[in-house]
């Protein structure tokens, strides 16, 4: 049984699980998916890639950022039957670049990092493969808020 | 002297008049005191005033002596100054000779700013001996050998040719290469830049060439850039390569090398392809994150943690507190030449002066760096208590103001060697450190005391009932709490520090940690002409974090306008990240206001962990909705159960949070299934209201629901029943 108490200006309510079972009648304002102020996911409303998405970690901003951007863009806009098949050169450049910085882009994760980046959703949740965390986290991590995991604009994954 | 005379002439009548009055008074007093035989005449000429010849002479003598003394003193001082100046200059001139004799590699630099805004001829010299095997960058030694300020515009003595020009345009070759610098062969295996000043006493030079083989990447650096060579050494893990050449221009200049700055650098690089970003920091470390310094690093099992600075995250994975390893960054001298740009960090350099009109800054050693866009992210400096500052050097030596990596290392050492530590301050930092040290006390017998003026821990953040509850938890971590404690006096006695409180209590301890707030660093406000906020401190900026056309401010130092919550200044990690990113976006043309609300978190022991967002001030009315708790509801239990990190991973990529997942036997068994007390605030949600609108929310031992909290604050609606709002959080679920 829930009960309520007032201590000066502070109110304290204790609730049981049953009390909270009925759905909430609190009203929230609908979000505008095109709100320019909001943090965007990986893909912007206009279809472009959001290079500043925290989900990418530092991939687009590190020493191999340019190569990464080229490869990923090519892939994203690819209309081929096998998506990205014409982007082999870009990916090779990226891989070569990354091999020069093993500290930043751990070698054994190389294949993972490129594929993860493509298929990554906007908000890495705890349940996402630990690998992505390690590549993104170890390779280039910082604490940056990713877009909140629930915004509607969130990710269309690239593939 | 002439002015003296005229002044004296003016004052003389006045002086005479007043002295006359004095003499009269003296005379009268004298008269009164002198015993007179009754009936004898009153006039006593010997002690009489006005015209008493002896007195007059005395007076003249005194005044004359004073004038003479003054004149002599003035003359001596002026002469002495001139002599000292000469000595100084000649000493400086001879220094390079001495240095050259002592070490094979030396070199220097400096140039006087060509800009006539300051004195035209300001000679400055600094030397930076490069120690061949030193691991650390040596900014302390060299950096500020100094300036010999010329006192007037008079040119320095002939022995020192004056030098000019730091040219800001790379194209312009310094026209006055005053000194031939012969590159000497690098004596290090690691390629440093060396130049050896010739024996001639000329010391200033404008450096342009980089020595040959030394730097292969630098090989592509166009020599004509008037760059200042400082030194270069192999970086130690985490410490930056000591400043090499300082570029004279940086398209994006970030002042300050902390979290906000790094977030901005990343944002800029993501949005502006090939951007060239220069971070200038007075610390000697590369950008790193602070939260682990008072949390995770203390819980690490690794004995070498003070060197590696690595910690375990919620999800068990280890990482360094440095955002990126040194290989991420490019060298400052390559900044303008490297093909795809990059982020360069100039460590150990402090920006002293900012010229907004000319779009440039000046470092401590007078080097100038011009910019296109500038970010000020200078953070702040820990505050100290006045009583401690006044207490003298002995006490100051036993006091730690905790903020940087060095402070962590020092405190770690102290905690292993000393018997008693007192933490003054009951806020985030103080409480976290108290818990961290308290945990250590279980093994080592260290006495940990925490004192603060409030009634309970986090007294300014949590509503009273919760603050009291939290204080009990902190006590269980092994901390002796002295609440409602105001420090009156601190003294050093018998090799211990004695703290006297206003209510009479006395605490004897070995070491003090003062965690009493942060003073935002607004040193550049004056020279840059930037506004400083009087309510919150920090630079005043608009909703888009802009102070002036090309100047943004982010992080602890920014007092910004939050569209939803009003003007404020936030000193939390996530805010530094959010504001840094936003500033970076706006520096690359985005024009977005501060909208994504930042959050913060804290962990106090294994039983208390919370995340919060918005304005969380205990003076606001609050509504707390708590679930009747079970044993499952603690951060520790949550981690163990899910086996993965859940602390709002959606918030940040790699959030540095979490108490140790494995709790040592020291703490009692995790919350027993039955409630110990009638009211156990195991988990819940607390709403902070301002005019009936929710402006802040704390998620108490409830994790991964921050997006909902953010939404509620963003809406800014008046909710009639907050219990209904609380339902949205599903606090009973895990």
């Amino acid at each position: 049984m829930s009960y309520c108490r007032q201590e000066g200006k502070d109110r304290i309510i204790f609730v049981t699980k049953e009390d909270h079972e009925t759905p909430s009648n609190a009203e929230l304002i609908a979000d505008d998916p095109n709100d320019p102020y909001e943090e965007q996911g990986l893909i912007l409303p206009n279809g472009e890639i959001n290079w500043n998405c925290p989900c990418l970690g530092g991939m687009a901003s590190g020493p191999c950022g340019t190569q990464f951007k080229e490869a990923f863009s090519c892939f994203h806009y690819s209309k081929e039957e096998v998506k990205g098949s014409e982007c082999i050169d870009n990916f090779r450049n990226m891989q070569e670049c990354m091999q020069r910085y093993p500290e930043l882009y751990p070698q054994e994760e190389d294949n993972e990092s490129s594929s993860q980046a493509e298929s990554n959703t906007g908000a890495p949740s705890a349940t996402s493969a630990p690998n992505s965390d390690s590549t993104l986290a170890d390779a280039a991590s910082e604490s940056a808020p990713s877009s909140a995991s629930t915004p509607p604009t969130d990710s269309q994954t690239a593939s | 002297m002439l002015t003296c005379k005229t002044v004296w002439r003016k004052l003389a009548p006045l002086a005479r008049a007043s002295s006359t009055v004095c003499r009269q008074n003296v005379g009268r007093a004298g008269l009164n005191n002198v015993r007179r035989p009754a009936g004898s005449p009153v006039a006593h000429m010997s002690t009489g005033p006005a015209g008493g010849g002896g007195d007059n002479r005395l007076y003249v003598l005194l005044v004359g002596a004073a004038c003479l003394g003054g004149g002599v003193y003035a003359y001596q001082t002026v002469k002495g100054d001139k002599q000292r100046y000469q000595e100084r200059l000649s000493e400086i001139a001879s220094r390079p000779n001495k240095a050259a004799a002592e070490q094979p590699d030396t070199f220097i630099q400096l140039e006087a700013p060509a800009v006539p805004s300051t004195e035209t001829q300001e000679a400055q010299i600094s030397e930076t001996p490069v120690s061949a095997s030193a691991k650390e960058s040596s900014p302390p030694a060299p950096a500020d050998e100094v300036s010999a300020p010329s006192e007037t515009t008079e040119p320095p003595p002939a022995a020192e040719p004056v030098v000019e020009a730091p040219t800001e345009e790379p194209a312009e070759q310094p026209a006055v290469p005053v000194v031939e610098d012969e590159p000497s062969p690098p004596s290090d295996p690691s390629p440093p830049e060396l130049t050896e000043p010739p024996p001639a006493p000329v010391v200033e030079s404008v450096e342009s060439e980089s020595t040959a083989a030394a730097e292969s990447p630098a090989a592509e650096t166009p020599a004509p850039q008037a760059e200042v060579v400082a030194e270069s050494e192999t970086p130690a893990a985490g410490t930056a390569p000591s400043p090499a050449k300082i570029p004279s221009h940086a398209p994006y200049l970030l002042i300050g090398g902390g979290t906000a700055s790094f977030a901005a650098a990343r944002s800029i690089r993501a949005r502006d392809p090939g951007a060239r970003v220069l971070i200038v920091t007075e610390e000697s470390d590369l950008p790193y994150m602070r939260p682990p310094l008072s949390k995770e690093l203390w819980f690490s099992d690794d004995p070498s943690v003070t060197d590696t600075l690595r910690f375990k995250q919620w999800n068990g994975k280890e990482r360094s507190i440095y955002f990126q390893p040194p290989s991420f960054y490019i060298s400052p001298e390559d900044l303008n030449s490297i093909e795809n740009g990059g982020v360069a960090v100039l460590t150990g350099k402090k920006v002293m002066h900012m010229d907004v009109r000319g779009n440039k800054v000046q470092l401590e050693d007078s080097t100038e760096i011009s910019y296109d866009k500038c970010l000020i992210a200078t953070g702040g400096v820990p505050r100290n208590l006045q009583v401690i500052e006044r207490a003298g050097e002995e006490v100051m030596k036993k006091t730690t103001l905790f903020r940087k990596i060095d402070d962590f290392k020092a405190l770690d050492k102290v905690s292993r060697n000393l018997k008693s530590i007192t933490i003054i301050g009951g806020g985030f930092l103080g409480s976290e450190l108290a818990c961290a040290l308290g945990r250590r006390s279980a093994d080592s017998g260290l006495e940990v005391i925490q004192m603060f003026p409030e009634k309970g821990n986090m007294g300014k953040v949590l509503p009273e009932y919760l603050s009291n509850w939290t204080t009990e938890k902190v006590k269980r971590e092994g901390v002796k709490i002295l609440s409602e404690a105001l420090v009156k006096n601190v003294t050093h006695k018998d090799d211990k520090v004695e703290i006297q409180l206003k209510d009479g209590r006395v605490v004897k301890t070995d070491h003090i940690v003062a965690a009493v707030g942060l003073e935002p660093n607004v040193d550049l406000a004056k020279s840059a002409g930037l506004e400083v906020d009087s309510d919150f401190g920090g630079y005043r900026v608009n909703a888009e974090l802009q102070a002036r056309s090309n100047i943004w401010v982010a992080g602890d130092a920014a007092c910004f306008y939050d569209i939803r919550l009003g003007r404020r200044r936030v000193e939390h990690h996530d805010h530094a990240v959010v504001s840094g990113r936003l500033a970076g976006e706006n520096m690359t043309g985005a024009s977005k206001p501060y909208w994504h609300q930042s959050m913060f978190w804290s962990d106090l022991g294994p039983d208390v962990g919370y995340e919060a967002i918005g304005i969380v001030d205990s003076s606001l009315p609050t509504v707390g909705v708590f679930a009747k708790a079970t044993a499952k509801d603690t951060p520790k239990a949550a981690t163990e159960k899910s086996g993965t990190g859940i602390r709002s991973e959606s918030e940040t990529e790699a959030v540095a949070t979490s108490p140790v997942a494995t709790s040592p036997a020291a703490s009692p068994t995790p919350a027993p299934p039955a409630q110990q007390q009638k009211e156990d605030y195991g988990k819940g949600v607390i709403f902070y209201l301002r005019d009936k609108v929710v402006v802040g929310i704390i998620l108490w031992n409830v994790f991964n629901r921050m997006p909902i909290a953010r939404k509620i604050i963003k809406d800014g609606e008046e909710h009639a029943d907050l219990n209904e709002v609380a339902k949205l959080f599903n606090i009973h679920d895990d």
Side-chain angles (χ1 to χ4, degrees):
Chain A
M1 213 43 228
S2 62
Y3 69 96
C4 182
R5 214 174 79 223
Q6 188 86 22
E7 272 191 24
K9 59 170 176 62
D10 303 316
R11 198 145 167 237
I12 310 169
I13 305 172
F14 280 92
V15 290
T16 60
K17 191 160 178 161
E18 295 70 41
D19 294 326
H20 266 203
E21 258 165 8
T22 56
S24 170
N25 61 15
E27 284 172 19
L28 298 177
I29 301 175
D31 272 335
D32 173 11
N34 293 325
D35 188 346
Y37 291 178
E38 283 293 337
E39 297 263 308
Q40 304 294 343
L42 182 61
I43 307 297
L44 298 169
N46 61 6
E48 284 176 8
I49 302 171
N50 177 18
W51 298 116
N52 209 9
C53 180
C55 60
L56 291 176
M59 301 284 276
S61 52
C64 299
T66 320
Q67 288 86 343
F68 171 79
K69 281 187 199 172
E70 279 165 14
F72 197 18
S73 294
C74 172
F75 179 85
H76 177 61
Y77 291 113
S78 165
K79 302 265 182 293
E80 296 291 312
E81 189 67 24
V82 178
K83 197 164 164 76
S85 48
E86 76 276 27
C87 308
I88 294 293
D89 282 337
N90 293 329
F91 279 104
R92 192 179 309 119
N93 283 342
M94 186 179 84
Q95 189 135 357
E96 278 171 10
C97 177
M98 287 184 177
Q99 277 165 354
R100 278 186 270 137
Y101 299 93
E103 224 183 354
L104 294 174
Y105 308 105
Q107 278 304 99
E108 65 282 2
E109 311 282 7
D110 251 359
N111 296 330
E112 305 256 11
S113 67
S114 42
S115 58
Q116 279 297 345
E118 293 150 34
S119 57
N120 208 353
T121 57
S125 63
T127 53
S128 71
N131 278 333
S132 77
D133 276 337
S134 72
T135 44
L136 299 180
D138 292 349
S141 60
E142 118 202 10
S143 297
S146 72
S147 38
S149 51
T150 56
T153 53
D154 211 18
S155 351
Q156 302 311 325
T157 59
S159 50
Chain B
M1 293 306 283
L2 285 173
T3 38
C4 279
K5 269 207 183 125
T6 42
V7 170
W8 178 244
R9 265 193 226 116
K10 288 204 178 102
L11 292 178
L14 185 64
R16 258 180 239 124
S18 58
S19 63
T20 312
V21 172
C22 282
R23 274 183 278 123
Q24 278 172 342
N25 287 340
V26 165
R28 241 176 259 132
L31 277 172
N32 289 337
N33 288 337
V34 168
R35 277 174 48 212
R36 284 183 266 145
S40 59
V42 175
H44 288 247
M45 293 304 283
S46 53
T47 52
D55 273 335
N56 207 3
R57 251 179 268 143
L58 186 61
Y59 168 65
V60 167
L61 203 60
L62 281 171
V63 171
C67 279
L68 195 63
V72 168
Y73 174 68
Y75 178 68
Q76 297 277 25
T77 311
V78 169
K79 195 127 189 272
D81 269 341
K82 186 148 187 261
Q83 195 185 16
R84 260 183 286 131
Y85 171 68
Q86 300 284 21
E87 274 172 20
R88 190 98 174 102
L89 283 178
S90 52
E91 196 235 321
I92 288 168
S94 63
R95 230 186 267 148
N97 297 339
K98 273 190 256 153
E102 284 162 14
Q103 283 150 342
D105 3 314
T106 41
F107 106 90
I108 336 142
Q109 254 311 350
L110 254 234
E111 359 105 318
V115 182
S117 55
T118 52
E119 297 173 302
T120 47
Q121 322 195 320
E122 196 173 287
Q124 283 192 347
I125 298 131
S126 82
E127 296 171 10
T128 54
V130 173
S131 46
S133 58
K135 283 183 299 226
E136 298 161 18
S137 50
S138 43
D144 310 304
E145 293 275 82
V146 182
S147 0
S150 52
E151 326 215 24
T152 54
T153 48
E154 109 188 292
E160 311 248 334
V162 173
V163 163
E164 291 325 331
T167 60
E168 330 228 308
E169 281 61 53
E172 188 183 338
Q173 268 291 15
V176 192
V178 175
V179 169
E180 319 320 308
D181 288 344
E182 298 166 10
S184 61
S187 52
D188 287 0
S190 59
E193 307 265 346
L194 310 176
T195 55
E196 200 176 330
V202 173
V203 151
E204 300 156 62
S205 59
V206 175
E207 181 53 18
S208 31
E209 259 71 69
S210 55
T211 18
E215 310 253 337
S216 41
E220 56 199 17
T221 312
Q225 292 206 1
E227 288 165 336
V228 175
V229 184
E231 31 184 88
S232 58
E233 297 174 13
T234 39
T239 32
S242 306
K245 288 192 174 161
I246 302 181
S248 53
H249 176 79
Y252 296 96
L253 179 67
L254 312 186
I255 303 177
T259 308
S261 199
F262 183 80
R266 182 177 276 190
S267 191
I268 293 169
R269 286 278 300 159
R271 289 173 51 89
D272 178 0
R276 298 166 199 282
V277 180
L278 178 67
I279 294 177
V280 179
T281 172
E282 61 173 344
E283 285 195 58
S284 53
D285 290 299
L286 292 171
Y288 60 92
M289 52 175 78
R290 288 190 209 283
L293 291 179
S294 60
K295 292 186 274 291
E296 285 85 344
L297 288 181
W298 291 94
F299 302 132
S300 167
D301 301 317
D302 182 0
S304 66
V305 69
T306 46
D307 297 314
T308 62
L309 298 174
R310 293 184 72 82
F311 64 96
K312 236 184 227 167
Q313 300 168 89
W314 268 103
N315 51 15
K317 283 208 305 279
E318 249 200 22
R319 63 157 296 167
S320 164
I321 63 169
Y322 291 100
F323 290 115
Q324 293 289 2
S327 48
F328 175 87
Y329 305 99
I330 61 173
S331 166
E333 73 214 2
D334 295 333
L335 184 67
N336 289 319
S337 58
I338 200 169
E339 194 191 331
N340 291 321
V343 182
V345 182
L346 204 56
T347 54
K349 295 283 176 195
K350 183 165 174 171
V351 175
M352 301 298 287
H353 185 277
M354 191 162 178
D355 177 1
V356 170
R357 209 187 278 206
N359 285 333
K360 56 186 194 280
V361 301
Q362 193 179 72
L363 305 181
E364 226 166 1
D365 56 8
S366 276
T367 321
E368 288 200 341
I369 306 176
S370 63
Y371 58 83
D372 293 331
K373 314 256 179 186
C374 182
L375 173 75
I376 298 178
T378 44
V381 163
R383 289 208 180 113
N384 198 352
L385 291 173
Q386 279 204 346
V387 286
I388 295 182
E389 282 179 340
R390 288 199 298 249
E393 211 192 301
E394 286 297 323
V395 170
M396 287 296 284
K397 267 196 261 181
K398 297 192 175 187
T399 302
T400 300
L401 297 172
F402 195 89
R403 178 139 173 107
K404 305 191 201 155
I405 290 180
D406 290 335
D407 302 323
F408 163 72
K409 291 184 179 178
L411 189 60
D412 177 79
K413 198 162 162 212
V414 158
S415 70
R416 290 182 200 280
N417 298 334
L418 295 182
K419 288 278 165 291
S420 162
I421 299 182
T422 298
I423 297 165
I424 304 182
F428 291 100
L429 184 61
S431 306
E432 285 171 6
L433 283 177
C435 286
L437 290 170
R439 180 165 297 209
R440 233 174 232 201
S441 74
D443 309 318
S444 64
L446 169 72
E447 183 195 34
V448 181
I449 305 167
Q450 188 186 7
M451 58 170 70
F452 42 79
E454 296 86 29
K455 279 207 194 136
N457 283 85
M458 314 302 306
K460 289 199 181 147
V461 173
L462 301 176
E464 200 177 317
Y465 63 91
L466 215 47
S467 164
N468 292 338
W469 192 82
T470 307
T471 309
E472 292 305 311
K473 292 289 178 187
V474 173
K475 281 184 190 163
R476 290 231 199 103
E477 287 297 299
V479 180
K480 277 197 203 125
I481 304 257
L482 291 167
S483 56
E484 297 180 286
L486 284 161
V487 177
K488 184 168 121 183
N489 198 15
V490 181
T491 45
H492 187 248
K493 231 192 239 181
D494 306 324
D495 202 34
K496 277 195 165 256
V497 177
E498 192 174 280
I499 305 170
Q500 286 152 19
L501 302 178
K502 283 216 171 105
D503 57 8
R505 290 179 280 183
V506 174
V507 174
K508 291 200 179 67
T509 186
D510 292 324
H511 198 90
I512 296 178
V513 178
V516 295
L518 188 78
E519 188 65 46
N521 183 340
V522 290
D523 290 345
L524 291 172
K526 187 141 191 235
S527 57
L530 296 175
E531 195 178 359
V532 171
D533 190 272
S534 41
D535 297 317
F536 301 100
Y539 296 96
R540 205 178 261 183
V541 294
N542 62 15
E544 295 174 16
L545 304 184
Q546 200 178 33
R548 288 281 298 272
S549 292
N550 292 328
I551 305 177
W552 287 262
V553 187
D556 291 351
C559 175
F560 66 101
Y561 183 70
D562 183 324
I563 297 177
R564 264 280 165 259
L565 301 176
R567 182 159 285 278
R568 57 196 192 117
R569 188 174 67 82
V570 179
E571 289 173 4
H572 292 299
H573 175 86
D574 193 46
H575 171 77
V577 174
V578 169
S579 62
R581 274 181 83 234
L582 179 66
E585 287 177 339
N586 289 344
M587 285 164 89
T588 47
S591 303
K592 283 165 60 176
Y594 189 91
W595 189 244
H596 178 94
Q597 210 43 252
S598 62
M599 53 84 79
F600 59 97
W601 73 92
S602 189
D603 291 321
L604 300 174
D607 295 335
V608 177
Y610 61 90
E611 299 178 334
I613 186 170
I615 297 182
V616 171
D617 184 335
S618 62
S619 62
L620 294 173
T622 67
V623 174
V625 181
F626 293 91
K628 303 202 153 184
T630 67
K632 293 184 285 170
D633 306 320
T634 62
K636 178 170 79 70
T639 325
E640 284 167 355
K641 182 183 161 198
S642 63
T644 59
I646 59 171
R647 170 58 63 74
S648 289
E649 281 262 337
S650 57
E651 291 305 317
T652 63
E653 298 155 35
V655 173
T657 65
S658 98
V660 154
T662 57
S663 89
S667 51
T669 53
Q675 305 322 323
Q676 308 94 307
Q677 317 149 324
K678 212 173 73 159
E679 273 143 15
D680 198 17
Y681 304 103
K683 58 180 185 174
V685 184
I686 303 124
F687 299 99
Y688 288 71
L689 301 161
R690 195 169 62 184
D691 301 328
K692 299 202 203 141
V693 172
V694 175
V695 293
I697 298 178
I698 289 189
L699 300 173
W700 189 256
N701 274 337
V702 159
F703 306 105
N704 225 11
R705 273 95 149 159
M706 194 45 73
I708 308 163
R710 184 173 282 120
K711 173 82 179 116
I712 292 168
I713 294 194
K714 185 178 85 157
D715 285 352
E717 297 275 290
E718 274 187 37
H719 293 276
D721 185 359
L722 285 168
N723 188 23
E724 292 296 320
V725 179
K727 280 186 188 172
L728 297 169
F729 290 91
N730 291 322
I731 55 180
H732 297 275
D733 297 338
D734 279 324

